[in-house]
């Protein structure tokens, strides 16, 4: 009988991060964290495992069908979180009496969704969550959007390269009501309209029909869905509603934040998650080659739905997968990996103590230094360290030790400077 060695791979859709991928991930996380801090958001974190009940609070959403669920040894129904928002709501409700509102929190959360694998979609992703809880003013939406755009600019993307498509469920509800669709049908209509672009219109018509809409109502839904601009929406409404005023104010404020060029009104943005109640948005690369970079909106009922006092909130989720694909496509991934300051090598074992002293002095001065683990010929050393990972290299040979100097080679421009072995950091 022959026994074949088992060949293991990461489970389908799950991700390993080799150092090159880890460098990209770190650069993305770094941009997220720096932006959130720049905008005054406080970081939180939570368990990846949640109770299934919390995550299933609404039915009919695609995300509920994608949950990785399991039972623990005490028969509890648990799941890996597919998103962070229910957890955030649970945490806030847990301390609603003590926390000061409005609060601005952010997290970098690992999320799991059993999705059909496609470009931009994995079964595991990291998601930057930015949320403002307890603030009804539209300035909360603008602040969250401006913070996400700041992260994009830290990653080297400019205003012309990303577009934020924005609408409002409240405005859509007013438009549907005006078109004669009763509020009882709005939730199902939102879910059906969210499928536009991913499904044929005929299938969306069938979904609407299954939700109980007659053919006249279905035509009315498609007339609303065909709106091309905010002015057209205003004309169809025929009156100034709070929902319309909110979106108009948002566009005005966005100009003050220099976001105006990135924002487009798009009645087609509905969002698949059931909890959104107001403004909703999704950001895409301007060429629309990739899936959404981030998405979010206002949700007024979630805190109440998970047992808290009702409280308004607005936020977004920004995943690491699509942004990395976009940066790769634009050739912007090189340079994201921070180089180490210095590599130190030596010719013979006898120079090893000197090299080690040197490394200790450099490390004490705050530099990141790689110390050779054995003696090498100069060709071997420079061949090994000259592949772009290091800014500088020092090779310790017998002549340098005899002269009491170190020669520091700048690997970018091949220039060299000499320093005293006793003070390798000094000027
Ligand atoms: P979402 O639109 O489901 O919203 O996800 C937000 C972002 O996470 C997406 O735009 C995408 O970048 C990324 N993402 C989602 N699923 C995957 C996946 N399977 N693979 C790779 N990336 C993915 C939410 O999750 C909301 N909870 C966001 C939010 C926060 N709303 C308010 N606060």
């Amino acid at each position: 009988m022959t026994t074949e060695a088992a060949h293991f791979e990461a489970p389908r859709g799950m991700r390993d991060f080799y150092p090159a991928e880890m460098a990209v991930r770190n650069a993305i996380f770094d941009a997220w964290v720096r932006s959130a801090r720049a905008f005054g958001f406080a970081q939180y974190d939570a368990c990846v495992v949640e109770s299934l009940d919390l995550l299933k609070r609404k039915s009919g959403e695609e995300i509920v069908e994608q949950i990785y669920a399991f039972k623990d040894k005490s028969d509890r129904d648990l799941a890996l979180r597919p998103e962070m928002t229910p957890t955030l709501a649970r945490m806030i409700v847990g301390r609603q009496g003590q926390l000061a509102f409005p609060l601005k929190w952010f997290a970098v959360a690992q999320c799991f969704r059993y999705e059909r694998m496609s470009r931009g979609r994995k079964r595991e992703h990291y998601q930057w969550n930015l949320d403002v809880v307890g603030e009804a003013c539209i300035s909360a939406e603008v602040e969250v959007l401006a913070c996400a755009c700041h992260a994009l600019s830290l990653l080297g993307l400019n205003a012309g390269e990303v577009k934020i498509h924005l609408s409002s469920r409240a405005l859509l509800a007013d438009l549907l009501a005006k078109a004669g669709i009763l509020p009882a049908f709005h939730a199902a209509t939102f879910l059906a309209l969210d499928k536009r672009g991913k499904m044929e219109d005929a299938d969306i018509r069938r979904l609407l029909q299954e939700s109980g809409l007659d053919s006249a109502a279905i035509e009315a839904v498609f007339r609303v869905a065909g709106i091309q601009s905010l002015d057209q929406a205003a004309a169809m409404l025929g009156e100034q509603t709070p929902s319309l005023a909110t979106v108009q104010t948002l566009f005005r404020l966005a100009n003050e934040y220099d976001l105006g060029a990135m924002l487009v009104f798009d009645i087609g943005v509905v969002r698949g998650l059931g909890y959104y109640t107001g403004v909703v948005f999704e950001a895409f690369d301007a060429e629309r080659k990739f899936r959404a970079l981030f998405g979010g909106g206002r949700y007024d009922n979630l805190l109440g739905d998970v047992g808290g006092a009702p409280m308004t909130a607005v936020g977004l989720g920004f995943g690491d997968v699509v942004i990395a694909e976009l940066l790769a496509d634009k050739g912007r991934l090189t340079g994201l990996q921070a180089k180490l300051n210095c590599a130190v090598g030596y010719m013979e074992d006898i120079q090893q103590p000197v090299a080690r002293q040197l490394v200790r002095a450099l490390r004490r001065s705050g530099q990141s230094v790689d110390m050779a683990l054995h003696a090498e010929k100069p060709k071997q050393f420079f061949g090994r360290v000259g592949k772009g990972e290091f800014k500088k290299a020092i090779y310790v040979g017998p002549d340098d030790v005899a002269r009491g100097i170190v020669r520091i080679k700048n690997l970018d421009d091949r220039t060299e400077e000499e320093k005293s072995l006793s003070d390798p950091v000094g000027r």
Side-chain angles (χ1 to χ4, degrees):
M1 201 174 83
T2 55
T3 50
E4 245 180 69
H7 177 64
F8 293 111
E9 284 176 8
R12 190 166 156 73
M14 301 296 169
R15 302 157 77 197
D16 292 326
F17 292 87
Y18 286 77
E21 288 117 41
M22 196 65 201
V24 173
R25 181 178 123 181
N26 280 339
I28 293 169
F29 283 20
D30 185 53
W32 288 345
V33 172
R34 277 168 58 202
S35 297
R37 296 234 163 91
F39 279 70
F41 284 78
Q43 190 162 13
Y44 70 101
D45 204 356
C47 43
V48 177
V49 173
E50 270 294 356
S51 59
L52 187 57
D53 261 1
L54 172 74
L55 302 173
K56 280 174 71 171
R57 81 234 153 250
K58 292 248 191 297
S59 57
E61 295 173 27
E62 204 178 18
I63 202 169
V64 172
E65 284 143 36
Q66 297 170 338
I67 293 177
Y68 277 89
F70 56 96
K71 280 190 188 287
D72 73 3
K73 291 183 182 182
S74 305
D75 217 28
R76 290 186 193 93
D77 285 310
L78 299 175
L80 300 178
R81 64 176 174 224
E83 56 159 338
M84 196 60 162
T85 314
T87 300
L88 170 72
R90 173 181 67 68
M91 285 174 67
I92 288 176
V93 167
R95 301 223 178 138
Q96 213 166 358
Q98 294 110 282
L99 292 166
F101 296 96
L103 58 76
K104 292 162 67 181
W105 282 8
F106 81 96
V108 176
Q110 192 179 17
C111 300
F112 297 85
R113 299 182 187 183
Y114 194 80
E115 293 224 37
R116 209 157 48 81
M117 296 272 293
S118 59
R119 194 150 82 134
R121 285 290 172 272
K122 309 239 179 239
R123 292 185 175 160
E124 173 207 349
H125 73 282
Y126 287 89
Q127 203 187 89
W128 181 35
N129 279 250
L130 270 182
D131 289 87
V132 178
V133 180
E135 177 55 65
C137 183
I138 194 75
S139 56
E141 272 87 342
V142 184
E143 191 73 7
V144 161
L145 288 171
C147 184
C149 293
H150 189 66
L152 290 173
S153 70
L154 289 180
L155 289 165
L157 291 165
N158 61 48
E161 291 175 308
V162 175
K163 290 270 171 261
I164 303 167
H165 294 244
L166 183 140
S167 182
S168 155
R169 280 198 177 185
L171 177 61
L172 184 57
D174 286 347
L175 287 161
L176 290 174
K178 187 81 188 174
I181 316 290
L182 295 174
F185 295 109
H186 288 185
T189 307
F190 291 164
L191 284 181
L193 285 182
D194 180 59
K195 302 273 187 290
R196 277 197 99 196
K198 302 167 211 157
M199 252 188 197
E200 297 293 323
D201 280 358
D203 293 324
I204 291 169
R205 282 198 159 77
R206 193 177 38 72
L207 279 180
L208 290 169
Q209 208 174 7
E210 282 165 13
S211 330
L213 268 72
D214 62 24
S215 54
I218 292 172
E219 288 323 306
V221 167
F222 273 88
R223 267 198 307 283
V224 170
I227 288 173
Q228 297 290 329
S229 68
L230 193 52
D231 287 344
Q232 207 187 333
M236 201 179 272
L237 269 181
E239 58 180 325
Q240 184 71 353
T241 61
S243 65
L244 177 63
T246 299
V247 179
Q248 287 168 333
T249 309
L250 190 150
F251 273 91
R252 189 175 47 70
L253 272 178
N255 281 329
E256 290 171 17
Y257 274 75
D258 278 341
L259 286 179
M262 293 176 90
L263 275 193
V264 274
F265 177 73
D266 182 349
I267 195 83
V269 177
V270 187
R271 307 272 297 139
L273 293 157
Y275 47 68
Y276 294 111
T277 51
V279 165
V280 277
F281 50 81
E282 265 167 9
F284 294 91
D285 61 293
E287 295 170 59
R288 284 304 281 261
K289 278 163 80 174
F290 299 94
R291 299 187 66 153
L293 289 159
F294 63 78
R298 187 169 283 271
Y299 48 102
D300 282 343
N301 303 328
L302 188 61
L303 271 76
D305 283 350
V306 303
M311 198 173 249
T312 186
V314 57
L316 63 81
F318 184 151
D320 68 323
V321 176
V322 182
I323 184 74
E325 288 177 350
L326 177 60
L327 291 171
D329 186 64
K330 293 195 176 288
R332 313 259 171 88
L333 284 184
T334 46
L336 282 183
Q337 179 163 19
K339 285 188 179 186
L340 298 178
N341 292 116
C342 193
V344 174
Y346 54 95
M347 191 179 282
E348 302 147 332
D349 287 344
I350 196 160
Q351 289 102 38
Q352 194 205 47
V354 176
R356 188 174 299 122
Q357 283 304 322
L358 176 64
V359 166
R360 286 182 63 187
L362 295 173
R363 285 180 181 158
R364 263 200 308 271
S365 76
Q367 299 193 38
S368 49
V369 186
D370 177 73
M371 162 88 184
L373 299 173
H374 56 253
E376 294 160 286
K377 299 245 180 310
K379 198 169 162 218
Q380 243 184 325
F381 171 73
F382 285 106
R384 180 172 66 79
V385 305
K387 295 189 180 126
E389 202 187 333
F390 301 99
K391 291 185 196 157
K392 293 179 177 175
I394 302 174
Y395 184 70
V396 183
D399 296 348
D400 295 338
V401 176
R403 288 177 59 207
I405 56 130
V406 283
R407 285 179 294 139
I408 305 174
K409 186 166 241 164
N410 187 325
L411 295 173
D412 288 334
D413 58 13
R414 301 269 143 195
T415 55
E416 202 171 78
E417 66 176 315
E418 246 181 53
K419 285 196 173 160
S420 155
L421 242 184
S422 56
D423 185 17
V425 187
R427 297 195 152 262

